[in-house]
Amino acid sequence: ETLRRRSLLKGVGTAAITMTLAGCGGSGDTGGGDGDGGDGDTGSQFLASEPNYDGWFEDVDNYDRTRDLTGQDSVTISVGAGDNGLLFDPPAVAVSPNTTVVWEWTGRGSTHNVAGENRDFESETVVEEGHTYEQTFSETGVVKYYCTPHRTLGMKGAIVVQ
């Protein structure tokens, strides 16, 4: 009976350790929704509570949740992501104050720009792969942005500064 109890306890202990270690492995999701943009080194960290975007993402195909990229000095977002090149990837990111967001063009989906919803910032409209535009966000809050030529097609994003 002692031998059976030890075998049982050993088996339960091994199962508990295995389950604990399995939880540490992460999901394997290492970046943006279509694998060609976003910040690939961040893993699948998302905000615990989603901000109220007031329907901003209703027509955005690749929006699921807000990626938590706080604590980084710089964050890169792809411009012209997705199969048709008409998305930002990732579409919603949370950053710390004074983080520089760099938008990098993929060269897909025609010409794009990045424009703040309130027109407080705006890049030039280009198509060249590798072109970048950057903006540093210091004030906390939600900053919505879009691509002017493709806004009605759902090419929109948001930066949550917290």
Side-chain angles (χ1 to χ4, degrees):
E1 186 170 319
T2 302
L3 185 57
R4 275 194 246 153
R5 190 174 353 177
R6 283 187 188 165
S7 295
L8 175 65
L9 290 175
K10 183 179 174 184
V12 169
T14 300
I17 290 171
T18 301
M19 290 173 66
T20 301
L21 290 176
C24 294
S27 70
D29 179 9
T30 59
D34 64 0
D36 67 349
D39 215 286
D41 300 332
T42 61
S44 58
Q45 302 296 321
F46 297 96
L47 289 181
S49 176
E50 282 296 296
N52 180 0
Y53 293 118
D54 294 322
W56 184 251
F57 288 110
E58 286 178 1
D59 58 349
V60 177
D61 291 340
N62 65 333
Y63 171 74
D64 182 28
R65 293 182 289 171
T66 303
R67 191 166 303 262
D68 185 356
L69 303 177
T70 55
Q72 298 184 36
D73 293 332
S74 177
V75 169
T76 301
I77 297 173
S78 293
V79 178
D83 292 337
N84 59 6
L86 299 175
L87 299 170
F88 292 106
D89 189 30
V93 297
V95 300
S96 302
N98 300 314
T99 298
T100 299
V101 175
V102 178
W103 286 271
E104 183 173 358
W105 275 244
T106 65
R108 296 193 321 246
S110 186
T111 59
H112 302 295
N113 76 336
V114 176
E117 180 186 35
N118 299 323
R119 299 301 242 194
D120 45 348
F121 62 91
E122 185 171 1
S123 74
E124 59 186 312
T125 303
V126 296
V127 70
E128 292 86 22
E129 178 180 0
H131 177 80
T132 61
Y133 171 75
E134 62 183 58
Q135 185 76 27
T136 301
F137 296 94
S138 54
E139 294 184 30
T140 59
V142 175
V143 178
K144 298 173 187 172
Y145 65 91
Y146 57 89
C147 169
T148 303
H150 303 113
R151 179 179 182 168
T152 59
L153 299 175
M155 192 168 178
K156 299 184 285 189
I159 309 294
V160 180
V161 184
Q162 58 180 31

